[in-house]
Coordinates of all heavy atoms in Angstrom, one line a residue:
E69 N -14.3 -4.4 -1.9 CA -14.3 -5.7 -1.3 C -14.0 -6.8 -2.3 O -14.2 -6.7 -3.5 CB -15.4 -6.0 -0.4 CG -16.8 -6.1 -1.1 CD -17.9 -6.5 -0.2 OE1 -17.6 -7.1 0.9 OE2 -19.0 -6.3 -0.6
T70 N -13.6 -7.9 -1.8 CA -13.5 -9.2 -2.5 C -12.4 -9.1 -3.6 O -12.4 -9.7 -4.6 CB -14.7 -9.8 -3.1 OG1 -15.8 -9.4 -2.3 CG2 -14.7 -11.3 -3.3
M71 N -11.4 -8.2 -3.3 CA -10.3 -8.1 -4.3 C -9.2 -9.0 -4.1 O -9.0 -9.6 -2.9 CB -9.7 -6.6 -4.1 CG -10.6 -5.5 -4.5 SD -10.7 -5.4 -6.3 CE -11.6 -3.8 -6.4
S72 N -8.6 -9.5 -5.2 CA -7.5 -10.5 -5.1 C -6.3 -9.9 -5.7 O -5.2 -10.5 -5.6 CB -7.9 -11.8 -5.7 OG -8.3 -11.5 -7.1
D73 N -6.3 -8.8 -6.5 CA -5.3 -8.2 -7.2 C -4.9 -6.8 -6.5 O -5.8 -5.9 -6.5 CB -5.6 -8.0 -8.7 CG -4.5 -7.3 -9.5 OD1 -3.5 -6.8 -8.9 OD2 -4.7 -7.3 -10.7
L74 N -3.8 -6.8 -5.9 CA -3.4 -5.5 -5.1 C -3.4 -4.3 -6.1 O -3.7 -3.2 -5.6 CB -2.1 -5.7 -4.4 CG -1.7 -4.6 -3.4 CD1 -2.8 -4.5 -2.3 CD2 -0.4 -5.0 -2.7
T75 N -2.9 -4.4 -7.3 CA -2.9 -3.3 -8.2 C -4.3 -2.8 -8.5 O -4.6 -1.6 -8.5 CB -2.3 -3.8 -9.6 OG1 -0.9 -4.2 -9.4 CG2 -2.3 -2.6 -10.5
E76 N -5.3 -3.7 -8.7 CA -6.7 -3.3 -8.9 C -7.2 -2.6 -7.7 O -8.0 -1.7 -7.8 CB -7.5 -4.6 -9.3 CG -8.9 -4.2 -9.7 CD -9.7 -5.4 -10.2 OE1 -9.4 -6.6 -9.7 OE2 -10.6 -5.2 -11.2
L77 N -6.9 -3.2 -6.5 CA -7.4 -2.6 -5.3 C -6.8 -1.1 -5.1 O -7.6 -0.2 -4.8 CB -7.0 -3.4 -4.0 CG -7.5 -2.8 -2.7 CD1 -8.0 -3.9 -1.9 CD2 -6.4 -2.1 -2.1
K78 N -5.6 -1.0 -5.5 CA -5.0 0.4 -5.4 C -5.6 1.4 -6.4 O -6.0 2.4 -6.0 CB -3.5 0.3 -5.7 CG -2.8 1.7 -5.8 CD -1.4 1.5 -6.1 CE -0.7 2.8 -6.4 NZ 0.8 2.8 -6.8
A79 N -6.0 0.8 -7.6 CA -6.7 1.7 -8.6 C -8.0 2.1 -8.0 O -8.4 3.3 -8.2 CB -6.8 0.9 -9.9
A80 N -8.8 1.2 -7.4 CA -10.1 1.5 -6.9 C -10.0 2.4 -5.7 O -10.8 3.4 -5.6 CB -10.8 0.2 -6.5
A81 N -9.0 2.2 -4.8 CA -8.8 3.1 -3.7 C -8.4 4.5 -4.1 O -8.9 5.5 -3.5 CB -7.9 2.5 -2.7
L82 N -7.5 4.6 -5.0 CA -7.1 6.0 -5.5 C -8.2 6.7 -6.2 O -8.4 7.8 -6.0 CB -5.9 5.8 -6.4 CG -4.5 5.9 -5.7 CD1 -3.5 5.7 -6.8 CD2 -4.3 7.2 -5.0
A83 N -9.0 5.9 -6.9 CA -10.2 6.5 -7.6 C -11.2 7.1 -6.5 O -11.8 8.1 -6.7 CB -10.9 5.5 -8.5
A84 N -11.3 6.3 -5.5 CA -12.2 6.8 -4.3 C -11.6 8.0 -3.7 O -12.3 9.0 -3.4 CB -12.4 5.6 -3.3
R85 N -10.3 8.0 -3.3 CA -9.7 9.1 -2.7 C -9.7 10.3 -3.4 O -9.8 11.5 -3.0 CB -8.2 8.7 -2.2 CG -8.1 7.8 -1.1 CD -8.5 8.5 0.2 NE -8.4 7.7 1.4 CZ -9.2 7.8 2.4 NH1 -10.3 8.5 2.4 NH2 -8.9 7.1 3.5
E86 N -9.4 10.2 -4.7 CA -9.2 11.4 -5.6 C -10.5 12.0 -6.1 O -10.5 13.1 -6.7 CB -8.2 11.1 -6.7 CG -6.8 10.7 -6.2 CD -5.9 10.4 -7.3 OE1 -6.3 10.1 -8.5 OE2 -4.7 10.4 -7.0
N87 N -11.6 11.2 -6.0 CA -12.9 11.7 -6.6 C -14.0 11.8 -5.6 O -15.2 11.9 -6.0 CB -13.3 10.8 -7.8 CG -12.2 10.9 -8.9 OD1 -12.2 11.8 -9.7 ND2 -11.4 9.9 -8.9
S88 N -13.7 11.6 -4.3 CA -14.8 11.6 -3.3 C -14.1 11.9 -1.9 O -13.0 11.7 -1.7 CB -15.4 10.1 -3.2 OG -16.3 10.0 -2.1
S89 N -15.0 12.4 -1.1 CA -14.6 12.7 0.3 C -15.2 11.6 1.3 O -15.0 11.7 2.5 CB -15.0 14.1 0.8 OG -16.4 14.2 0.7
L90 N -15.8 10.6 0.7 CA -16.4 9.5 1.6 C -15.4 8.7 2.3 O -14.3 8.5 1.7 CB -17.4 8.6 0.8 CG -18.6 9.4 0.2 CD1 -19.4 8.4 -0.7 CD2 -19.4 10.0 1.3
P91 N -15.7 8.1 3.5 CA -14.7 7.1 4.1 C -14.6 6.0 3.1 O -15.5 5.6 2.4 CB -15.4 6.7 5.3 CG -16.4 7.9 5.6 CD -16.9 8.4 4.3
V92 N -13.4 5.3 3.1 CA -13.1 4.2 2.2 C -12.8 3.0 3.0 O -11.9 3.1 3.9 CB -11.9 4.5 1.3 CG1 -11.6 3.3 0.4 CG2 -12.3 5.8 0.4
M93 N -13.4 1.8 2.8 CA -13.1 0.6 3.4 C -12.6 -0.4 2.3 O -13.2 -0.5 1.2 CB -14.3 0.0 4.0 CG -15.0 0.8 5.0 SD -16.5 0.2 5.7 CE -15.9 -1.1 6.8
C94 N -11.4 -1.0 2.5 CA -10.8 -1.9 1.5 C -10.7 -3.3 2.0 O -10.2 -3.4 3.2 CB -9.5 -1.4 1.1 SG -9.5 0.1 0.1
S95 N -11.1 -4.3 1.3 CA -11.1 -5.7 1.7 C -10.5 -6.6 0.6 O -10.9 -6.4 -0.5 CB -12.4 -6.1 2.2 OG -12.4 -7.4 2.6
M96 N -9.7 -7.6 1.0 CA -9.3 -8.6 0.0 C -9.7 -10.0 0.5 O -10.0 -10.2 1.7 CB -7.7 -8.5 -0.1 CG -7.2 -7.3 -0.7 SD -5.5 -7.3 -1.2 CE -5.7 -8.0 -2.9
T97 N -9.6 -10.9 -0.4 CA -10.0 -12.3 -0.1 C -8.8 -13.2 -0.2 O -8.1 -13.1 -1.3 CB -11.2 -12.8 -1.0 OG1 -11.5 -14.1 -0.7 CG2 -10.8 -12.6 -2.5
F98 N -8.5 -14.0 0.8 CA -7.3 -14.8 0.8 C -7.6 -16.3 1.0 O -8.7 -16.6 1.5 CB -6.5 -14.4 2.0 CG -6.0 -13.0 2.0 CD1 -6.8 -12.0 2.6 CD2 -4.7 -12.6 1.4 CE1 -6.3 -10.6 2.5 CE2 -4.4 -11.3 1.3 CZ -5.1 -10.3 1.9
D99 N -6.7 -17.1 0.6 CA -6.7 -18.6 0.9 C -6.2 -18.8 2.3 O -5.7 -17.9 3.0 CB -6.2 -19.4 -0.1 CG -4.7 -19.2 -0.3 OD1 -4.0 -18.8 0.7 OD2 -4.1 -19.6 -1.4
E100 N -6.2 -20.1 2.8 CA -5.7 -20.3 4.1 C -4.2 -20.0 4.3 O -3.8 -19.8 5.5 CB -6.0 -21.7 4.4 CG -7.4 -22.1 4.7 CD -7.6 -23.5 5.2 OE1 -7.0 -23.9 6.2 OE2 -8.4 -24.3 4.5
S101 N -3.4 -19.9 3.2 CA -2.0 -19.6 3.4 C -1.8 -18.1 3.6 O -0.7 -17.7 4.0 CB -1.2 -20.0 2.1 OG -1.5 -19.1 1.0
G102 N -2.8 -17.3 3.5 CA -2.7 -15.9 3.6 C -2.3 -15.1 2.3 O -1.7 -14.1 2.4
R103 N -2.6 -15.8 1.2 CA -2.3 -15.1 -0.1 C -3.5 -15.1 -1.0 O -4.4 -16.0 -0.9 CB -1.1 -15.8 -0.8 CG 0.2 -15.6 -0.1 CD 1.4 -16.1 -1.1 NE 2.7 -15.8 -0.4 CZ 3.4 -14.7 -0.5 NH1 2.9 -13.6 -1.2 NH2 4.5 -14.5 0.2
T104 N -3.6 -14.1 -1.8 CA -4.6 -14.1 -2.9 C -4.2 -15.0 -4.0 O -3.0 -15.4 -4.1 CB -4.9 -12.7 -3.3 OG1 -3.8 -12.3 -4.1 CG2 -5.1 -11.8 -2.2
F105 N -5.1 -15.2 -5.0 CA -4.7 -16.1 -6.1 C -3.6 -15.4 -7.0 O -2.9 -16.0 -7.8 CB -5.8 -16.6 -6.9 CG -6.3 -15.6 -8.0 CD1 -5.8 -15.6 -9.2 CD2 -7.4 -14.7 -7.7 CE1 -6.2 -14.8 -10.2 CE2 -7.9 -13.9 -8.6 CZ -7.3 -14.0 -10.0
T106 N -3.5 -14.0 -6.9 CA -2.4 -13.3 -7.6 C -1.0 -13.3 -6.8 O -0.1 -12.8 -7.2 CB -2.8 -11.9 -8.0 OG1 -3.0 -11.2 -6.7 CG2 -4.0 -11.9 -8.9
G107 N -1.1 -13.9 -5.6 CA 0.2 -13.9 -4.8 C 0.3 -12.9 -3.7 O 1.4 -12.9 -3.0
C108 N -0.7 -12.0 -3.6 CA -0.6 -10.9 -2.6 C -0.7 -11.5 -1.2 O -1.7 -12.3 -1.0 CB -1.6 -9.8 -2.9 SG -1.6 -8.6 -1.6
S109 N 0.2 -11.2 -0.4 CA 0.1 -11.6 1.1 C -0.7 -10.7 1.9 O -0.9 -9.5 1.5 CB 1.5 -11.9 1.6 OG 2.1 -10.6 1.9
V110 N -1.1 -11.2 3.1 CA -1.8 -10.3 4.0 C -1.0 -9.1 4.4 O -1.5 -8.0 4.5 CB -2.2 -11.1 5.3 CG1 -2.7 -10.2 6.4 CG2 -3.2 -12.2 5.0

Side-chain angles (χ1 to χ4, degrees):
E69 66 173 339
T70 325
M71 291 287 186
S72 58
D73 180 349
L74 190 57
T75 301
E76 188 176 31
L77 180 138
K78 177 183 173 182
L82 269 177
R85 282 292 185 214
E86 294 178 348
N87 297 282
S88 171
S89 59
L90 296 177
V92 178
M93 303 175 75
C94 290
S95 178
M96 296 194 83
T97 181
F98 299 91
D99 63 23
E100 288 187 55
S101 73
R103 289 193 180 272
T104 71
F105 84 85
T106 61
C108 176
S109 71
V110 171

